[in-house]
Amino acid sequence: MHGFGSAKLILLGEHVVVHGVPAIVAGLTRGVRATLTPSHDDTLIVHTDDGAELFRVDADHPPRDPRLTTAWAHIRDTFSVPDARFHVRLDLEVPLGAGLGSSAALSVALARALATHVDGVEPARNDPRVTLAVAGSEGAFHGHASGIDQAAAQFGGLFVFTRGAPRIPIHAKPITLAVCQAAPGASTADQVAFVRARRERHTVAVGHLEAMIAGLVEDARRALETGDAATLGELMDLNHGALVALGVSTPALDLACHHAREAGALGAKLTGAGGGGCVVAVCDEPEPILARWRAHDLPAFSVTLGASESA
Ligand code: PMV
């Protein structure tokens, strides 16, 4: 039994999306693949992109981080098969916990694979049991998440996400993004709590930042629809500045943005919760940017939106 969940890239609007501001997100064609095989005991093995085993959880290997097994238990409960046992293989096509939505992607992959096991057919994208299972397991990973990662992991494509509102698809012209992991990721729950506290202490100033980002999101949507990469890049630079002001960037993330701009990016920003993790840059030509990052030992890849990614 197989299941897939998309990884995600937030183009603009992370953090403020928790407080009701729209954000733009792309669910990618890379993500997490789950394979379930019914078994007499429980095993969970996580593989990286190159096929190497990252870690396993079984009778001899207790979880180092209980969130994954808690999430998996929650998914089994939702499908009313709490005692079923499986050999689970998870293949990660993105780094774990680096702001690319790996936890939502793996929850969606597991829930879809389990739905296929229970029903004998693949579930619909909007299967309510998958939605419920993933919402609960995202709670195990992130506390009070906005739901943006889950929406991207479940539905894929490029869209405007507003908490509690329907997704608004963006019909983008092809646009190329380069992505690198600048540092190990930080806890999303801690980063969200940090922003919440800053927002409570500086209500007016953070309110201005939220209004500014809302404007950037609106303009970025138009830039994506018209394929105006230069404007999108400028808007992403501005969004990065606002994220610096919110306190979620780091020297490593700032430096990775500078490297990208120097190597020809039209704009760059941190993506996801910050405190570490990934940077996204918009560009005409990704190779010089990827080469610059790789020269600094930062793993990197490129994606084109508006072609297969946003289909
Ligand atoms: O944990 P990440 O890096 O996927 O970040 C998710 C985006 C946030 O806006 C920081 C949190 C949320 O739930 O929207």
Side-chain angles (χ1 to χ4, degrees):
M1 252 63 66
H2 298 281
F4 172 74
S6 292
K8 67 94 177 54
L9 267 177
I10 298 182
L11 270 58
L12 293 99
E14 51 276 273
H15 282 292
V16 294
V17 71
V18 174
H19 305 287
V21 174
I24 295 178
V25 66
L28 305 179
T29 53
R30 65 173 69 207
V32 177
R33 288 172 205 283
T35 308
L36 301 188
T37 315
S39 172
H40 55 280
D41 54 9
D42 274 325
T43 317
L44 203 150
I45 305 179
V46 179
H47 291 261
T48 52
D49 222 0
D50 53 10
E53 185 177 312
L54 187 63
F55 64 87
R56 65 169 60 207
V57 182
D58 59 21
D60 301 323
H61 301 84
R64 268 173 291 170
D65 176 345
R67 291 178 303 176
L68 176 56
T69 40
T70 305
W72 179 216
H74 181 88
I75 292 167
R76 282 190 293 192
D77 279 349
T78 310
F79 281 88
S80 307
V81 287
D83 300 323
R85 290 167 186 229
F86 296 95
H87 180 279
V88 179
R89 179 182 168 125
L90 290 171
D91 286 284
L92 306 177
E93 296 165 348
V94 289
L96 264 188
L100 300 182
S102 57
S103 68
L106 72 83
S107 298
V108 169
L110 282 169
R112 281 207 177 127
L114 189 56
T116 307
H117 168 77
V118 169
D119 301 346
V121 288
E122 275 185 32
R125 269 182 191 265
N126 60 353
D127 185 310
R129 297 162 306 164
V130 173
T131 305
L132 194 66
V134 177
S137 68
E138 274 292 274
F141 279 107
H142 288 324
H144 299 289
S146 67
I148 191 170
D149 287 18
Q150 170 161 5
Q154 216 174 331
F155 297 101
L158 182 65
F159 55 93
V160 176
F161 176 89
T162 308
R163 196 169 192 167
R167 287 169 290 121
I168 303 174
I170 300 177
H171 303 288
K173 295 259 165 51
I175 207 141
T176 304
L177 302 172
V179 181
C180 85
Q181 184 172 1
S187 147
T188 300
D190 289 352
Q191 293 293 105
V192 169
F194 180 87
V195 171
R196 189 183 300 281
R198 182 161 279 193
R199 189 173 186 264
E200 278 164 14
R201 280 196 309 279
H202 304 286
T203 318
V204 174
V206 173
H208 285 308
L209 289 172
E210 289 176 359
M212 166 188 163
I213 296 172
L216 300 177
V217 166
E218 194 44 53
D219 291 350
R221 180 179 161 183
R222 269 193 300 276
L224 283 160
E225 283 166 353
T226 56
D228 185 349
T231 299
L232 181 67
E234 216 176 333
L235 297 165
M236 284 168 52
D237 280 343
L238 284 160
N239 194 167
H240 184 75
L243 289 163
V244 171
L246 287 174
V248 295
S249 193
T250 64
L253 291 166
D254 295 342
L255 190 60
C257 290
H258 285 301
H259 284 315
R261 294 182 195 117
E262 274 176 17
L266 302 164
K269 63 180 277 293
L270 73 84
T271 182
C278 290
V279 155
V280 57
V282 61
C283 51
D284 290 327
E285 174 49 62
E287 283 313 321
I289 300 161
L290 299 178
R292 177 74 70 97
W293 281 334
R294 287 174 184 148
H296 289 85
D297 290 329
L298 305 180
F301 65 91
S302 63
V303 291
T304 301
L305 303 183
S308 59
E309 294 289 357
S310 65

